[in-house]
Amino acid sequence: MIETPYLLFLGDAPDPLAAKVAQGIKDWRPEYAVGQFRMEGCKADMGLPDMSLAEAKAAGCKTLVIGVANRGGVISPAWKKVLVAALEEGFDLASGLHNLLRDEEDLAAVARACGRQLHDVRVPTVDYPIANGKKRAGKRMLAVGTDCSIGKMYTALCVDKEMRARGLKSSFRATGQTGILITGDGVPLDAVIADFMAGSIEYLTPDNDADHWDLIEGQGSLFHVSYSGVTLALIHGGQPDALIICHEPTRDHMRGLPEYKLPSIEAVRDMALTLARVANPACVAVGCSINTQHMSDADALAYCAEVEARTGLPTVDPFRHGAGRLVDALIAV
Amino acid sequence: MIETPYLLFLGDAPDPLAAKVAQGIKDWRPEYAVGQFRMEGCKADMGLPDMSLAEAKAAGCKTLVIGVANRGGVISPAWKKVLVAALEEGFDLASGLHNLLRDEEDLAAVARACGRQLHDVRVPTVDYPIANGKKRAGKRMLAVGTDCSIGKMYTALCVDKEMRARGLKSSFRATGQTGILITGDGVPLDAVIADFMAGSIEYLTPDNDADHWDLIEGQGSLFHVSYSGVTLALIHGGQPDALIICHEPTRDHMRGLPEYKLPSIEAVRDMALTLARVANPACVAVGCSINTQHMSDADALAYCAEVEARTGLPTVDPFRHGAGRLVDALIAV
């Protein structure tokens, strides 16, 4: 568990896109995003107060989160002075970068000397059990997609936000690095050992109140040959009561697989439902979430209407249009 | 790659079942099983010549394989003297036990000093790639099952043996610990990191001659909620041309999951085929393999005939009746 709130480290981000982890935290957990730390030449700006380490400490920040990615995911030597000073000031550090904080000898030594934590969220820290498939109390929604990187995390976060706004009980359950940094907790599923994948999701979504919703971040796609096993572990470990099918209409092939076309929304719905019902016979598909970021307003609305007519399921871009209709459908389950 | 042939270490096996890894090697690779090493009180016997380490060395053995499992999968202190002596005599050691040879300080030190290898086949030794889904040359068969531990390894081995007997080109491709010890090579899939599962199977079954068959050992089941993700990674990484559906008729629930009934053979066939065709649209189901070990001769034949009538697929227990009809069906693909 990563201690909150955060000071978001933007470093020397060459452009706003390089700071998309910080952007995700600021978009989805503004209450955790107390301030930003920018180095000379930083081209990203979250619109948060620029703070020195001492100011952030005084404002209650507990963890400095590396909210920026370099090309190659490395920990830049230019950042080291700040990171070392942050440990000395009493901050923990958190990172989702490919290169690990713990593998930097200087950071590891200072963290040890100062009694601070280094959180490398790409690495599982729990010995997850093997899944036992036992029915758990509470409700669970899983976002499944026609492809990878198609809006499954944003869909679950939009639903969570709408549920919270209505005073309903919900938890966004992160299964990837950015989601974990947004929430401070979760399972880095793509780094879990095969035998324990489904068990890690059971661990992530334990028994809960009967009217509580776990909103589980999906990963991969049943139709993406590189990662489909991860997706199926989510479906069986999550034992969802409800699925939301995610799609991005402008993509012309599966991410990273130029020879593979995207499946239809209907094919994903039918396959995911059949498999989900092995673990939870009551599972239903409640809606479709369309990532319309590359479409005009008119095209976005027209496309959603077309999918809704075809599938009979409420269909929206929850980030653009709000998740109200998806939440209506979930609470009707 | 584990060097062959083997001296099979049976240790102080309390009963024949404890030596089932040795039995598997002896059944399936008798040419690798040159001799056995038994300690006082050993209750297992492969019917192989009992050899001292020196005799085994003279007979050409390269590796001492731990062919016996203790309760708990530990490396028994009682074995240590033999294992150390074997390293000193110039043998490598191989083990599929849960506890690792490399974690035993004495064995690690002696192996280092003598320049010998310790093969812990539970641990991947390769940095597998992420699957790319590209079509590979050659033919591939994957055994899929209604449950775990249902005869998928024996099915692939039976087909391999029959293909070899006919002079056809084939390779058994091991994906589990026992299979790896039988063949000396393979992927310990249940221990691979989630993101690399499908890629490890692409690595295991590379381009080959157009008339060569990879016979891939299956793992888990699409309907087994603990391990289904591993199974789907095999289906998409293996891009099989042919599936053989494996079933054990006397089992009344999924292994380790008392609340889950086994799916029908037809349900497994249909689900596995639909998913397999994502990676290989030409994939077909060619036969059913029934594990009849708990049935009388008459019941076994009657059950196979019933499944064959129902599914229209050649249906045999290949270990009991021979794999001829399965091979006929494969070469007709």
Side-chain angles (χ1 to χ4, degrees):
Chain A
M1 193 78 185
I2 303 169
E3 283 200 82
T4 58
Y6 302 148
L7 174 62
L8 300 180
F9 178 76
L10 309 185
D12 48 3
D15 54 57
L17 203 64
K20 76 175 184 178
V21 169
Q23 189 70 52
I25 295 171
K26 197 250 174 177
D27 283 348
W28 293 107
R29 290 295 179 272
E31 68 275 25
Y32 293 172
V34 169
Q36 61 187 16
F37 188 107
R38 300 194 294 165
M39 293 168 59
E40 208 174 295
C42 181
K43 299 285 198 306
D45 184 355
M46 298 298 121
L48 296 168
D50 285 294
M51 290 184 174
S52 68
L53 294 174
E55 288 164 346
K57 192 78 198 163
C61 291
K62 298 278 199 289
T63 302
L64 181 142
V65 174
I66 298 184
V68 56
N70 276 328
R71 203 177 290 268
V74 300
I75 294 158
S76 161
W79 304 347
K80 277 292 182 65
K81 210 166 155 181
V82 180
L83 301 183
V84 166
L87 290 167
E88 289 170 347
E89 292 269 355
F91 292 92
D92 293 338
L93 302 184
S95 161
L97 295 176
H98 190 75
N99 281 34
L100 304 184
L101 295 168
R102 70 182 68 169
D103 291 343
E104 303 289 310
E105 281 177 29
D106 44 358
L107 296 181
V110 176
R112 220 166 22 240
C114 301
R116 305 316 317 165
Q117 301 288 318
L118 300 178
H119 297 283
D120 287 301
V121 302
R122 275 193 188 260
V123 183
T125 52
V126 173
D127 283 333
Y128 301 114
I130 286 178
N132 63 32
K134 288 195 204 305
K135 179 73 185 152
R136 306 192 292 290
K139 297 282 188 189
R140 285 161 197 85
M141 182 285 288
L142 175 66
V144 294
T146 53
D147 196 2
C148 299
S149 305
I150 209 157
K152 294 184 290 287
M153 183 182 85
Y154 267 62
T155 297
L157 283 162
C158 287
V159 170
D160 180 45
K161 186 178 179 187
E162 174 70 14
M163 284 195 166
R164 289 175 180 222
R166 295 191 192 182
L168 301 170
K169 297 181 200 166
S170 72
S171 307
F172 168 71
R173 299 298 190 183
T175 61
Q177 285 76 19
T178 303
I180 294 171
L181 286 171
I182 287 173
T183 58
D185 201 6
V187 167
L189 183 58
D190 64 9
V192 171
I193 298 281
D195 249 4
F196 305 99
M197 293 187 300
S200 76
I201 303 305
E202 291 188 348
Y203 172 93
L204 181 68
T205 61
D207 273 314
N208 215 316
D209 296 343
D211 59 346
H212 176 278
W213 279 94
D214 273 330
L215 305 165
I216 309 173
E217 179 188 358
Q219 294 292 338
S221 167
L222 288 172
F223 292 80
H224 193 296
V225 296
S226 310
Y227 309 115
S228 54
V230 177
T231 310
L232 185 50
L234 269 160
I235 290 174
H236 282 163
Q239 55 181 228
D241 302 277
L243 302 176
I244 294 178
I245 322 298
C246 302
H247 182 58
E248 205 279 66
T250 69
R251 212 171 273 191
D252 65 357
H253 62 75
M254 299 292 276
R255 191 175 165 90
L257 302 175
E259 289 127 28
Y260 287 77
K261 296 279 168 223
L262 269 69
S264 68
I265 289 172
E266 289 87 339
V268 172
R269 176 196 61 194
D270 295 345
M271 178 63 72
L273 265 184
T274 306
L275 288 164
R277 286 174 177 163
V278 172
N280 184 350
C283 184
V284 289
V286 295
C288 301
S289 172
I290 310 297
N291 176 345
T292 63
Q293 66 177 317
H294 300 302
M295 303 171 89
S296 69
D297 282 340
D299 286 351
L301 288 171
Y303 187 85
C304 289
E306 181 212 315
V307 171
E308 181 154 341
R310 242 167 56 200
T311 61
L313 295 171
T315 300
V316 296
D317 180 334
F319 195 64
R320 191 169 189 165
H321 308 134
R325 297 186 60 219
L326 297 176
V327 171
D328 294 343
L330 283 168
I331 58 183
V333 165
Chain B
M1 193 78 188
I2 304 170
E3 282 199 82
T4 58
Y6 301 148
L7 174 63
L8 300 180
F9 178 76
L10 308 186
D12 47 3
D15 54 56
L17 204 64
K20 76 175 183 176
V21 169
Q23 189 70 51
I25 296 171
K26 196 248 175 178
D27 283 348
W28 293 108
R29 290 293 181 273
E31 67 275 25
Y32 293 171
V34 170
Q36 62 187 18
F37 188 106
R38 300 194 294 164
M39 292 168 59
E40 208 173 297
C42 180
K43 298 287 198 308
D45 184 354
M46 297 300 120
L48 295 168
D50 285 296
M51 290 184 175
S52 68
L53 294 174
E55 287 164 348
K57 193 78 199 163
C61 291
K62 298 277 199 291
T63 302
L64 181 143
V65 175
I66 297 184
V68 57
N70 276 327
R71 204 176 291 265
V74 300
I75 294 158
S76 163
W79 305 347
K80 278 290 183 68
K81 208 165 154 184
V82 180
L83 301 183
V84 167
L87 290 167
E88 290 171 345
E89 291 269 355
F91 292 92
D92 293 339
L93 302 184
S95 162
L97 295 176
H98 191 74
N99 283 34
L100 304 184
L101 295 168
R102 71 182 67 168
D103 290 344
E104 303 290 311
E105 282 178 29
D106 44 358
L107 296 181
V110 177
R112 224 168 16 244
C114 300
R116 304 316 319 163
Q117 301 288 316
L118 301 178
H119 296 284
D120 287 301
V121 302
R122 275 193 188 262
V123 184
T125 52
V126 172
D127 284 334
Y128 301 115
I130 286 178
N132 63 32
K134 288 195 203 308
K135 179 73 184 150
R136 307 191 292 290
K139 297 283 188 187
R140 285 164 196 82
M141 183 286 287
L142 174 66
V144 295
T146 54
D147 195 2
C148 300
S149 307
I150 209 158
K152 293 184 289 289
M153 183 182 83
Y154 267 62
T155 297
L157 283 162
C158 286
V159 169
D160 180 45
K161 185 180 178 185
E162 174 70 14
M163 283 194 166
R164 288 174 182 224
R166 295 193 192 180
L168 300 169
K169 297 181 200 166
S170 73
S171 306
F172 168 72
R173 299 298 191 184
T175 61
Q177 285 75 20
T178 303
I180 294 171
L181 286 171
I182 288 173
T183 59
D185 200 7
V187 167
L189 184 58
D190 63 9
V192 172
I193 299 281
D195 248 3
F196 304 99
M197 294 186 299
S200 76
I201 303 305
E202 291 188 348
Y203 171 93
L204 181 69
T205 60
D207 274 312
N208 215 317
D209 296 344
D211 58 346
H212 175 278
W213 279 92
D214 274 330
L215 305 166
I216 309 174
E217 179 188 359
Q219 295 292 337
S221 166
L222 288 171
F223 291 79
H224 194 295
V225 296
S226 310
Y227 308 115
S228 54
V230 177
T231 309
L232 186 49
L234 269 161
I235 290 174
H236 282 163
Q239 56 181 229
D241 302 277
L243 302 176
I244 293 177
I245 321 300
C246 302
H247 183 58
E248 205 279 66
T250 69
R251 213 172 272 193
D252 64 358
H253 62 75
M254 298 292 277
R255 189 176 167 91
L257 303 175
E259 290 128 28
Y260 288 77
K261 298 275 168 224
L262 270 70
S264 68
I265 290 172
E266 288 87 340
V268 172
R269 175 197 60 194
D270 294 347
M271 179 62 73
L273 263 185
T274 306
L275 287 164
R277 286 174 178 163
V278 172
N280 184 350
C283 185
V284 289
V286 295
C288 301
S289 172
I290 311 298
N291 176 346
T292 64
Q293 64 177 321
H294 299 303
M295 303 171 89
S296 69
D297 281 340
D299 286 352
L301 288 171
Y303 187 85
C304 288
E306 182 212 315
V307 172
E308 180 152 345
R310 242 166 58 202
T311 62
L313 296 172
T315 300
V316 295
D317 180 335
F319 194 63
R320 190 168 188 166
H321 308 134
R325 295 185 60 220
L326 297 176
V327 171
D328 293 344
L330 283 167
I331 58 182
V333 164

